Amino acid sequence: YLVATLSTIADPEKDRRTSNYALNWSPFRDGTLQLSFAYNESQASDNNAMTKTISPALRWNVSRTSYLAASYQVTKSEADAGNSDSKSFNTNLVAFF
């Protein structure tokens, strides 16, 4: 499925805008493999800030009682005060007994 949201908050002192997009796909009927992708963006006029985040992820249901998940996230922030970039990779192996 595909999801998209857009919101704008305006007041006399500052404007804020956020955009969120997400895509989830399971290529097999039983949902054994799940792929997802998300993109988030926010802007604030009070400090000229812009933040963008990209997050792809994967989940493989190995059995009824265990799964393996992996995700990657890239965030880039720019503002009058400075810029920052971050990247993270996460994996989980979960087993229920």
Side-chain angles (χ1 to χ4, degrees):
Y1 60 88
L2 178 64
V3 177
T5 63
L6 175 64
S7 67
T8 301
I9 301 170
D11 68 42
E13 296 180 22
K14 56 188 165 191
D15 290 331
R16 296 190 182 277
R17 184 179 68 85
T18 61
S19 304
N20 300 300
Y21 305 95
L23 174 66
N24 294 297
W25 180 54
S26 183
F28 305 116
R29 283 186 180 201
D30 60 0
T32 303
L33 182 63
Q34 300 168 12
L35 307 165
S36 64
F37 179 83
Y39 174 80
N40 304 319
E41 182 178 293
S42 64
Q43 293 177 312
S45 63
D46 57 338
N47 62 353
N48 253 358
M50 165 79 85
T51 302
K52 296 178 182 180
T53 304
I54 298 172
S55 307
L58 165 79
R59 177 174 163 153
W60 174 37
N61 294 321
V62 179
S63 70
R64 291 183 334 133
T65 60
S66 62
Y67 68 87
L68 177 63
S71 62
Y72 183 67
Q73 181 172 310
V74 177
T75 302
K76 183 174 185 175
S77 298
E78 298 175 351
D80 290 341
N83 301 334
S84 70
D85 293 320
S86 68
K87 297 175 183 174
S88 64
F89 180 72
N90 185 35
T91 59
N92 294 304
L93 174 60
V94 178
F96 302 101
F97 297 99

